[in-house]
Amino acid sequence: MAWGFRPNRMVSAAVAAGVLLVHTPVSADTGGAAGAAFDRAWSLCAEATGQVERERGIPRHLLTAISLAESGRWDGVNGATHAWPWTVTSGEQTWKLDSKAEAIARVDALRGAGTTNIDVGCMQINMRYHPDAFTSLDAAFDPLTNARYAGQFLSDLYETSRNWLTAAGNYHSNTEEFHNRYKLKVARFWNDSRNDDAAIASGAGRIAATPSTAAIDYQRTAQLNHAFQARRAAQAQAGASTAAAGAITPLVGDRYALNAQIQRVRKQAERKREVRNLVQSERVPQAAPEVNPDLQLWRNLYRSGPTSGGILSGLN
């Protein structure tokens, strides 16, 4: 209910304790123009709030979320809640009328009984606190006119708070308890609407990204399968021949089998390398040990036998 900044005593019990919804039933024989108008009414508020959001730069779906909080009506056929343009609230009673004419008649009846606290239309503008909002009841129940007044009111509240959700809470009340409760309700509707947009966009993206299915060429498929099987058979035969000759067996099988084969191949290569190094080390000639030169001279003298003169005398 668009009351905005108002005394606490004026906060409607409809929000504080829930409202008594009085729905005018749709007659079983509703059809023709009346039935079409009733079906059309489900989308009127959403179309109007969407247009006003674009006109005033209000975040997408925010005004729509407020309309759902204000005049939401359950659509049992489609399993969804929609803002209802022919909604009238007074005190603890709310009427969801089936036509604009019925809604106007209900307001006239309430006024005739001396009631002035009346909320009307998609955005439930309170006629006591906004007496100059509309030039007539016909204008008050025009979805676009009703939404445009609400959009202006919400924008003015935003200029004060500089926060859209705070402005949404103040759209109903500036009393903290009722403000916070209402703001949370609007936030849930707003979040649901944005999630719906994301889901639709995601689904459209998946559809657009899905390639068209080509017709299957069964003859070509059979030829490719035959060639593949022949190639596998040739590879298997070549692998068997190579294995018989002592070569490393080609790696086949799953990941664990492949790892095991890799380890075996590495160990084989390491053993071959160790054997090769051992053979090469045995072929390298051993270096002669170092001998003391004086000892070698004495050995040579001893081997040559007794001598006279020069050599022995030279050692004295």
Side-chain angles (χ1 to χ4, degrees), residues 4-15:
F5 298 98
R6 56 190 180 279
N8 295 353
R9 61 187 176 86
M10 302 307 301
V11 177
S12 173
V15 176

Side-chain angles (χ1 to χ4, degrees), residues 46-115:
E47 292 172 0
T49 53
Q51 179 174 333
V52 174
E53 287 167 355
R54 294 188 295 272
E55 289 175 354
R56 303 197 66 88
I58 297 171
R60 181 175 170 81
H61 295 314
L62 178 57
L63 195 64
T64 302
I66 294 174
S67 73
L68 291 171
E70 291 289 346
S71 63
R73 181 177 186 177
W74 177 251
D75 177 5
V77 175
N78 298 303
T81 298
H82 303 277
W84 189 249
W86 324 134
T87 300
V88 177
T89 299
S90 180
E92 297 183 4
Q93 286 189 307
T94 293
W95 294 266
K96 305 289 185 180
L97 289 310
D98 292 339
S99 68
K100 183 177 184 179
E102 292 179 26
I104 292 175
R106 175 60 62 180
V107 174
D108 283 336
L110 290 169
R111 282 179 165 178
T115 302

Side-chain angles (χ1 to χ4, degrees), residues 190-205:
W190 193 19
N191 188 60
D192 289 344
S193 298
R194 289 186 292 182
N195 287 341
D196 289 343
D197 274 359
I200 292 171
S202 176

